[in-house]
């Protein structure tokens, strides 16, 4: 149409591409216009128009693809090839256009591997003037122009490798579908024959025997072997004669280890790492690289690999979700897009990690926040709304994170709003009430109570809340928790019938009563704890004072004697230290000696002095003397040895200590 700009044409074509997702026949009548406009003169004015045209080719119906191949297929693919290997498009637009062009080749061309091989060879020749990679390449002497072309070549070879793997998998699925249809038709024909002849059981029995022997599954084994061999020929350099892409692996590894060259040319680093991601898994790069372009490319590549190798990437699920916390806006945005695609297509584990996506609902970047909300909106449409099942897990994990109260409230309010069914709401009341059990953190109590207050309550929901009182009665001491329960009661009174309203009022009185009791118990327990701490402190001070008194008033240390044990003779003797006896005799002579005792009093630490007070040693000496006298009367015989006194005839002497 006259007066339409190239940018407007691209917008119109984008709308047609969106429509073709649900109705593939929309693009067929306008196929020639799409080719003329998308790859014609306007493509030079609006470079992204070629990219949109490539998307349109991918969404053609099967009949339209065949029609295009008959009419002007060679011309279209020639343009796609020149688009990929050409050097006219700007750097940022070329990558976006080439991505869709290669995908279009594999979606439309009957033998895409032949055309893709030509593209790879042409791209390589533009760098090194030959179509095969050699062992020794002048990497260090690359010119800036060669660096740009090499970056594009690495992007092409990496994207072709990934599409080739997907293409092999699709071919395998087609063969398996044909085999299944063939087996189904043979089974139906046997059922028809069984109605006319009794011999129909013979082939059925033969099939059962073959199945037991594994003969039937031999065809599947052959297909699996061919698939594995084809994949190895793509990415392994051992198949030199037949392999084109695998030859790039050693060169790519050598290039990525040249850190000086990679830091010198950031665009080469980005393309090299992206290609390496498509050949292998590089979680170390995606986590440690300082370049946000490299991390962003790696995130996209990991999403592609997760589609192709979901079981292989399952142990690395946490690392993929970790990209949602990246400091770079572009990395977080790509992570949201990649994970949205994987989760909505059931290719990525959700439970235990979906809270990372929920946090992005309140991302500081509006674009990321919108994408996250769109994801949860689409997720709520699947089956019986998976958000209902995931909500308790999300709540538990978000309550343990250091989120602002406002952020947490907005996230949970958004997620709860996606649950519309009354039965799910009623079930959530019971699930959330049960989460109070075993939780001792006040912050988690507040989070659970807030989520309860955001539910849409019905009569059954209120009854379940009342019935679950035992599970949350221990949290009613907190004012913030009680406020949320009051909000629930206020909501319930608005729609409740007279009978239920009476039950709600009783429930409200019960809540208030328990709240006050719990508050009093908490205050009493706190006061008792403070009192116990003060008492322990006072006892510690008293013990320290007693220790100091013992040091000041220490009487009869070395003079009181020591009791030493020696070996027993005839099982009835005890040995007393001679030093003890000597101190006893010496202490008798000093009974009149005055002594003073210094005592600390707690009231005023007053000093009390006694004029005449017998020593402790004197008391001990007298006690020993009495004991010795008693021993003399009872013992028939006594002998002294050096420093010791022995008692015989089974008699023992008791020594008193004062």
């Amino acid at each position: 149409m006259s007066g339409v700009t190239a940018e407007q044409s691209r917008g119109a074509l984008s709308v047609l591409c969106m429509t073709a997702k649900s109705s593939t026949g929309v693009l067929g009548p306008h196929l020639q216009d799409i080719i003329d406009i998308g790859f014609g003169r306007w493509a030079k004015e609006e470079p992204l128009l070629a990219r949109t045209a490539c998307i349109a080719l991918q969404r053609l119906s099967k009949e339209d693809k065949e029609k295009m191949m008959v009419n002007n297929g060679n011309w279209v693919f020639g343009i796609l090839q020149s688009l990929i290997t050409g050097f006219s498009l700007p750097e940022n637009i070329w990558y976006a256009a080439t991505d869709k062009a290669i995908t279009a080749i594999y979606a439309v061309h009957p033998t895409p591997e032949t055309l893709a091989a030509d593209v790879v060879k042409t791209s390589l020749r533009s760098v090194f003037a030959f179509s095969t990679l050699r062992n020794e390449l002048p990497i260090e002497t690359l010119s800036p122009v060669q660096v740009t072309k090499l970056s594009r070549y690495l992007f092409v070879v990496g994207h072709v490798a990934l599409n080739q793997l997907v293409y092999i998998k699709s071919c395998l699925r087609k063969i398996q579908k044909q085999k299944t249809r063939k087996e189904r038709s043979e089974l139906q024909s046997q059922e028809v024959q069984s109605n006319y002849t009794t011999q129909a059981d013979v082939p059925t029995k033969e099939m059962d025997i073959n199945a037991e022997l594994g003969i039937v599954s031999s065809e599947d084994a052959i297909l699996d072997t061919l698939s594995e061999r084809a994949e190895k020929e793509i990415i392994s350099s051992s198949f030199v004669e037949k392999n084109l892409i695998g030859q790039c692996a050693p060169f790519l590894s050598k290039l990525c280890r040249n850190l000086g060259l990679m830091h010198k040319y950031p665009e080469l680093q980005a393309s090299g790492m992206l290609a390496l991601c498509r050949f292998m898994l590089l979680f170390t790069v995606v986590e440690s690289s300082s370049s946000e372009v490299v991390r962003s490319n790696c995130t996209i590549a990991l999403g592609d690999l997760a589609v192709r190798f979901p079981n292989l990437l399952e142990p690395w699920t946490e690392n993929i979700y970790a990209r949602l916390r990246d400091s770079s806006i572009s990395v977080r945005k790509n992570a949201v897009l990649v994970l949205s695609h994987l989760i909505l297509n059931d290719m990525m584990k959700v439970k235990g990690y979906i809270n990372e996506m929920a946090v992005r609902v309140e991302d500081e970047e509006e674009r990321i926040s919108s994408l996250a909300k769109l994801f949860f909106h689409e997720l709520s449409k699947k089956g019986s709304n998976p958000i209902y099942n995931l909500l308790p897990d999300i709540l538990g994990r978000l309550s343990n994170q250091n989120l602002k109260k406002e952020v947490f409230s907005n996230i949970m309010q958004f997620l709860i709003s996606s649950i519309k069914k009354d039965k799910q709401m009623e079930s959530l009341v019971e699930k959330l009430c049960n989460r109070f059990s075993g939780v001792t953190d006040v912050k988690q109590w507040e989070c659970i109570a807030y989520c309860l207050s955001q539910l849409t309550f019905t009569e059954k929901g209120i009854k379940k809340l009342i019935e679950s009182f035992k599970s949350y009665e221990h949290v009613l001491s907190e004012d913030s928790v009680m406020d949320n329960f009051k909000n629930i009661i206020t909501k319930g009174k608005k729609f409740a019938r007279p009978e239920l309203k009476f039950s709600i009022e009783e429930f409200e009185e019960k809540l208030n009563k328990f709240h006050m009791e719990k508050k009093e118990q908490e205050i009493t327990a706190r006061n008792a704890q403070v009192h116990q701490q003060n008492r322990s402190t006072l006892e510690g001070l008293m013990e320290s004072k007693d220790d100091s008194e013992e040091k000041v008033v220490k009487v009869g240390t070395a003079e009181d004697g020591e009791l030493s044990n020696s070996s027993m003779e005839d099982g009835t003797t005890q040995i007393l230290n001679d030093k003890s006896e000597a101190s006893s005799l010496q202490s008798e002579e000093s009974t009149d000696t005055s002594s003073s005792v210094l005592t600390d009093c707690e009231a005023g630490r007053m000093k009390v002095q006694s004029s005449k007070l017998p020593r402790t040693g004197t008391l001990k000496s007298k006690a020993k003397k009495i004991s010795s006298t008693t021993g003399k009367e009872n013992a028939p015989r006594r002998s002294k040895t050096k420093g010791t006194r022995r008692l015989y005839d089974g008699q023992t002497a008791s020594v008193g200590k004062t």
Side-chain angles (χ1 to χ4, degrees), residues 208-273:
D208 294 339
I209 294 173
N210 291 337
E212 292 179 2
L213 295 175
I215 298 174
V216 176
S217 60
S218 62
E219 295 181 5
D220 295 333
I222 293 172
L223 288 176
D224 293 339
T225 303
L226 291 175
S227 175
E228 291 178 4
R229 180 177 175 82
E231 292 180 5
K232 288 180 180 179
E233 288 183 355
I234 292 172
I235 60 177
S236 175
S237 58
S238 59
F239 298 87
V240 179
E241 296 180 357
K242 299 179 181 180
N243 185 15
L244 175 64
I245 300 173
Q247 295 180 19
C248 182
F251 167 77
L252 185 59
S253 177
K254 179 182 178 182
L255 178 67
C256 291
R257 286 198 299 266
N258 193 330
L259 301 180
L261 187 66
M262 301 295 270
H263 286 297
K264 185 178 180 181
Y265 299 105
E267 68 276 10
L268 181 61
Q269 183 185 19
S271 297
M273 289 301 173

Side-chain angles (χ1 to χ4, degrees), residues 9-10 13 32-43 49 53:
S9 297
R10 183 172 68 86
L13 187 57
Q32 191 60 46
D33 295 332
I34 292 172
I35 295 172
D36 293 339
I37 296 173
F39 302 109
R41 61 180 181 83
W42 277 2
L49 190 57

